[in-house]
PDB file of all heavy atoms in Angstrom:
ATOM      1  N   GLY A1445       3.943   6.713   1.981  1.00 89.00           N
ATOM      2  CA  GLY A1445       3.221   7.572   1.042  1.00 89.00           C
ATOM      3  C   GLY A1445       1.865   7.995   1.556  1.00 89.00           C
ATOM      4  O   GLY A1445       1.466   9.144   1.400  1.00 89.00           O
ATOM      5  N   VAL A1446       1.140   7.076   2.176  1.00 88.00           N
ATOM      6  CA  VAL A1446      -0.168   7.411   2.739  1.00 88.00           C
ATOM      7  C   VAL A1446      -0.019   8.416   3.875  1.00 88.00           C
ATOM      8  O   VAL A1446      -0.772   9.396   3.963  1.00 88.00           O
ATOM      9  CB  VAL A1446      -0.905   6.139   3.220  1.00 88.00           C
ATOM     10  CG1 VAL A1446      -2.103   6.473   4.067  1.00 88.00           C
ATOM     11  CG2 VAL A1446      -1.311   5.291   2.032  1.00 88.00           C
ATOM     12  N   ILE A1447       0.969   8.214   4.725  1.00 89.00           N
ATOM     13  CA  ILE A1447       1.217   9.163   5.823  1.00 89.00           C
ATOM     14  C   ILE A1447       1.592  10.523   5.277  1.00 89.00           C
ATOM     15  O   ILE A1447       1.102  11.554   5.744  1.00 89.00           O
ATOM     16  CB  ILE A1447       2.302   8.609   6.767  1.00 89.00           C
ATOM     17  CG1 ILE A1447       1.768   7.397   7.519  1.00 89.00           C
ATOM     18  CG2 ILE A1447       2.797   9.678   7.719  1.00 89.00           C
ATOM     19  CD1 ILE A1447       2.818   6.624   8.283  1.00 89.00           C
ATOM     20  N   ARG A1448       2.448  10.561   4.264  1.00 86.00           N
ATOM     21  CA  ARG A1448       2.864  11.822   3.656  1.00 86.00           C
ATOM     22  C   ARG A1448       1.669  12.520   3.013  1.00 86.00           C
ATOM     23  O   ARG A1448       1.513  13.729   3.132  1.00 86.00           O
ATOM     24  CB  ARG A1448       3.949  11.548   2.615  1.00 86.00           C
ATOM     25  CG  ARG A1448       4.231  12.656   1.643  1.00 86.00           C
ATOM     26  CD  ARG A1448       5.114  13.720   2.270  1.00 86.00           C
ATOM     27  NE  ARG A1448       5.679  14.562   1.254  1.00 86.00           N
ATOM     28  CZ  ARG A1448       5.247  15.793   0.983  1.00 86.00           C
ATOM     29  NH1 ARG A1448       4.280  16.314   1.680  1.00 86.00           N
ATOM     30  NH2 ARG A1448       5.820  16.503   0.045  1.00 86.00           N
ATOM     31  N   PHE A1449       0.822  11.769   2.342  1.00 84.00           N
ATOM     32  CA  PHE A1449      -0.340  12.359   1.686  1.00 84.00           C
ATOM     33  C   PHE A1449      -1.323  12.917   2.706  1.00 84.00           C
ATOM     34  O   PHE A1449      -1.870  14.003   2.518  1.00 84.00           O
ATOM     35  CB  PHE A1449      -1.028  11.312   0.803  1.00 84.00           C
ATOM     36  CG  PHE A1449      -2.170  11.858   0.015  1.00 84.00           C
ATOM     37  CD1 PHE A1449      -1.938  12.669  -1.077  1.00 84.00           C
ATOM     38  CD2 PHE A1449      -3.474  11.561   0.368  1.00 84.00           C
ATOM     39  CE1 PHE A1449      -2.995  13.174  -1.814  1.00 84.00           C
ATOM     40  CE2 PHE A1449      -4.535  12.060  -0.360  1.00 84.00           C
ATOM     41  CZ  PHE A1449      -4.294  12.874  -1.452  1.00 84.00           C
ATOM     42  N   ARG A1450      -1.540  12.202   3.788  1.00 85.00           N
ATOM     43  CA  ARG A1450      -2.478  12.681   4.817  1.00 85.00           C
ATOM     44  C   ARG A1450      -1.943  13.911   5.535  1.00 85.00           C
ATOM     45  O   ARG A1450      -2.708  14.800   5.908  1.00 85.00           O
ATOM     46  CB  ARG A1450      -2.765  11.583   5.825  1.00 85.00           C
ATOM     47  CG  ARG A1450      -3.676  10.528   5.264  1.00 85.00           C
ATOM     48  CD  ARG A1450      -4.064   9.543   6.319  1.00 85.00           C
ATOM     49  NE  ARG A1450      -4.963   8.535   5.742  1.00 85.00           N
ATOM     50  CZ  ARG A1450      -5.344   7.462   6.358  1.00 85.00           C
ATOM     51  NH1 ARG A1450      -4.924   7.217   7.592  1.00 85.00           N
ATOM     52  NH2 ARG A1450      -6.143   6.608   5.771  1.00 85.00           N
ATOM     53  N   ASN A1451      -0.633  13.968   5.748  1.00 83.00           N
ATOM     54  CA  ASN A1451      -0.048  15.100   6.455  1.00 83.00           C
ATOM     55  C   ASN A1451       0.157  16.313   5.566  1.00 83.00           C
ATOM     56  O   ASN A1451       0.387  17.405   6.062  1.00 83.00           O
ATOM     57  CB  ASN A1451       1.288  14.706   7.082  1.00 83.00           C
ATOM     58  CG  ASN A1451       1.099  13.759   8.238  1.00 83.00           C
ATOM     59  OD1 ASN A1451       0.026  13.675   8.820  1.00 83.00           O
ATOM     60  ND2 ASN A1451       2.145  13.034   8.566  1.00 83.00           N
ATOM     61  N   SER A1452       0.057  16.145   4.257  1.00 76.00           N
ATOM     62  CA  SER A1452       0.281  17.277   3.359  1.00 76.00           C
ATOM     63  C   SER A1452      -0.919  18.211   3.307  1.00 76.00           C
ATOM     64  O   SER A1452      -0.814  19.330   2.841  1.00 76.00           O
ATOM     65  CB  SER A1452       0.610  16.789   1.952  1.00 76.00           C
ATOM     66  OG  SER A1452      -0.522  16.184   1.370  1.00 76.00           O
ATOM     67  N   GLY A1453      -2.058  17.743   3.778  1.00 68.00           N
ATOM     68  CA  GLY A1453      -3.242  18.589   3.806  1.00 68.00           C
ATOM     69  C   GLY A1453      -3.926  18.725   2.474  1.00 68.00           C
ATOM     70  O   GLY A1453      -4.753  19.606   2.294  1.00 68.00           O
ATOM     71  N   LYS A1454      -3.572  17.876   1.526  1.00 58.00           N
ATOM     72  CA  LYS A1454      -4.218  17.954   0.224  1.00 58.00           C
ATOM     73  C   LYS A1454      -5.648  17.427   0.338  1.00 58.00           C
ATOM     74  O   LYS A1454      -5.889  16.410   0.946  1.00 58.00           O
ATOM     75  CB  LYS A1454      -3.456  17.125  -0.815  1.00 58.00           C
ATOM     76  CG  LYS A1454      -2.117  17.680  -1.147  1.00 58.00           C
ATOM     77  CD  LYS A1454      -1.450  16.838  -2.210  1.00 58.00           C
ATOM     78  CE  LYS A1454      -0.094  17.388  -2.544  1.00 58.00           C
ATOM     79  NZ  LYS A1454       0.591  16.560  -3.536  1.00 58.00           N
ATOM     80  N   GLN A1455      -6.531  18.152  -0.254  1.00 59.00           N
ATOM     81  CA  GLN A1455      -7.926  17.747  -0.278  1.00 59.00           C
ATOM     82  C   GLN A1455      -8.280  17.348  -1.705  1.00 59.00           C
ATOM     83  O   GLN A1455      -7.743  17.901  -2.654  1.00 59.00           O
ATOM     84  CB  GLN A1455      -8.831  18.895   0.184  1.00 59.00           C
ATOM     85  CG  GLN A1455      -8.574  19.323   1.616  1.00 59.00           C
ATOM     86  CD  GLN A1455      -8.938  18.235   2.599  1.00 59.00           C
ATOM     87  OE1 GLN A1455      -9.878  17.493   2.396  1.00 59.00           O
ATOM     88  NE2 GLN A1455      -8.180  18.121   3.673  1.00 59.00           N
TER      89      GLN A1455
END
Side-chain angles (χ1 to χ4, degrees):
V1446 167
I1447 291 169
R1448 164 79 164 103
F1449 184 74
R1450 286 186 179 171
N1451 290 339
S1452 68
K1454 292 182 180 178
Q1455 297 294 325

